[in-house]
Every structure is written in C-alpha cells, then in structure tokens.
Amino acid sequence: AAGPGADLPGSPGSPDSVGGPGGGFSADGDSVGGGSRGPPRSAELIANMEAKAKADADEAELIEMAQEVGAAALHYAEGRGPLQYKSSGEVAPFSETLHEIKFAPLQTGRYFQNLAIRMTGTDTVLDVAIRGVAIDVPIYVKEEVMDLKTCVIGKLYRKKLVLCNRGKLAFKVQAKAPPELEGYVEFNPDMGFVQSGEEFEVGVKFRPTPDALAQCAPYAIPETGVIA
C-alpha cells in the first residue's frame, strides 16, 4: 500500500510519467519532451515501403515484358500454321523430287489438311491428305518455379532440379544455361536419360557476380538490379 504523499505510477513527478516537467518518451520510443532527436521512425519506414513498392512495380513490369516475349513465341508467323510446306515446286522429266512438309504444332490435338497438287500443262490433279497428332511432351519438371530466395554476390548456391517422364519410353535430356547466364549457372550432370515413370535429378549451381547484371542488361533494371 502507498502512504500519504507517495508517488503513484503515472502521477506527476513519478518516473513513469510521460508528461512531467522533465519531459518523457512516447509509447513508440520517440522523445516528446525537450532535447534534440532524429527523424521519426515512421518517416524512415514510409521511405522504405515506398522504395520497396517501386522495386516491386519495376520487377512486375520486367516480368510482364518477359511473359510477352514468351507468349509471342507461341504464335505462328504470318502465313504459317501447324502444317508448313512450299506451295509450288518442279519435277524434272523422268525423275522424282522431295517436297518437305513440316509439322510444328503449338498445342495438343489432331491436325489434318487436304492438298490438291496440280501439274502445269495437264489436267492431272493429285489429292494428298496430311494428318498429324500432337501430344504433351513426356518430360516435365516437378517444380516449375525454382526460387533461390535472397542470394549474396560471390556466394555459391545449390538446388535440385527434378525431371519426370510420364511417357512409355526413356528420353534423353540435356540442360544448358542460356548465353546470358553462362558462367553463373551450371548443371550437373548436364545430360542424362529419364526412364519411363521415373525421376531424374539435376544439380543446379548458381554463383551471382556483379558482372551478371551487365551480361543480362537487356533483361534487367540497372537501378534495382532486378533480372527477369
């Protein structure tokens, strides 16, 4: 119990006072009394949040650009389709010729097309039917996104890339880093065979250096060092 004249917590003159004559501190630790002080923490926090928001926006824009490039690769050039061939040719007298037909599907499904080959100077018409079936690639990756989180320049990081085979035959696979990442990304082993219904592990080594940003300049934001 406190006797007469005792200082109660929170009363004027008490060490717990936040508004007494000698000044005090607010709940967040910023001085509210006399004396000099630095900028409030809230201002620094806001500045950091704004910088992070800008970096996130720049990264999102770069990733969107990369996705547009990838999407463009899944469209046929003008005048082309899944079945590609020359529209004319020549056959010498008493000979034969090869007429190449390319089957380049971008989606799974069945494709067919009927051709009518006409010989100049005659009424001869040759009917040719072309058929093709496109299926999913038997080889796929178990983890589509390999996230190495935050990496330090000059340090070596390792992760496993797991390849799977859903087909009935063994398939040969070969891993190769794109030119922009040569010297920074390595695969071990870089070639192997994935057996039917089995998995195949490839070790991935990543060692970032300051030169990586310059080498990937077309795909990077120099101010933030983001590469996509």
Side-chain angles (χ1 to χ4, degrees):
D7 288 333
L8 297 178
S11 63
S14 166
D16 295 327
S17 174
V18 296
F25 295 90
S26 64
D28 63 1
D30 293 330
S31 174
V32 296
S36 61
R37 62 177 181 176
R41 291 184 183 178
S42 57
E44 181 180 355
L45 179 60
I46 292 175
N48 290 338
M49 292 178 63
E50 291 178 347
K52 184 179 184 303
K54 183 179 184 305
D56 291 343
D58 291 342
E59 182 178 5
E61 181 181 357
L62 196 60
I63 292 176
E64 184 178 354
M65 292 171 57
Q67 290 175 340
E68 290 177 356
V69 173
L74 295 178
H75 288 81
Y76 295 108
E78 185 177 355
R80 291 182 175 270
L83 294 169
Q84 303 172 11
Y85 48 85
K86 293 182 178 179
S87 60
S88 63
E90 183 178 343
V91 183
F94 304 102
S95 65
E96 63 182 27
T97 185
L98 296 178
H99 200 76
E100 186 180 61
I101 298 176
K102 294 182 179 180
F103 182 43
L106 296 179
Q107 296 179 346
T108 59
R110 297 178 178 273
Y111 297 82
F112 61 91
Q113 187 169 350
N114 294 324
L115 299 181
I117 302 177
R118 292 179 171 84
M119 304 295 179
T120 57
T122 70
D123 295 331
T124 303
V125 178
L126 303 178
D127 294 323
V128 178
I130 305 175
R131 302 286 187 270
V133 179
I135 62 174
D136 282 331
V137 177
I139 302 297
Y140 65 96
V141 292
K142 192 172 185 178
E143 185 181 7
E144 293 186 358
V145 178
M146 184 175 292
D147 191 353
L148 295 176
K149 305 298 182 181
T150 302
C151 298
V152 179
I153 294 294
K155 298 296 182 179
L156 177 63
Y157 298 87
R158 303 172 187 265
K159 198 170 179 64
K160 289 183 178 180
L161 174 65
V162 181
L163 303 175
C164 306
N165 183 0
R166 58 183 161 218
K168 297 180 180 180
L169 302 174
F171 281 87
K172 178 182 177 181
V173 294
Q174 186 171 5
K176 184 178 180 181
E180 295 79 9
L181 295 178
E182 285 184 356
Y184 311 109
V185 177
E186 298 179 10
F187 300 97
N188 185 31
D190 58 359
M191 190 273 288
F193 291 86
V194 188
Q195 302 299 323
S196 174
E198 300 291 335
E199 296 181 350
F200 183 78
E201 290 187 354
V202 177
V204 181
K205 296 181 181 179
F206 177 57
R207 189 191 297 272
T209 69
D211 296 335
L213 186 60
Q215 193 163 325
C216 299
Y219 315 96
I221 301 176
E223 295 81 4
T224 58
V226 175
I227 301 173

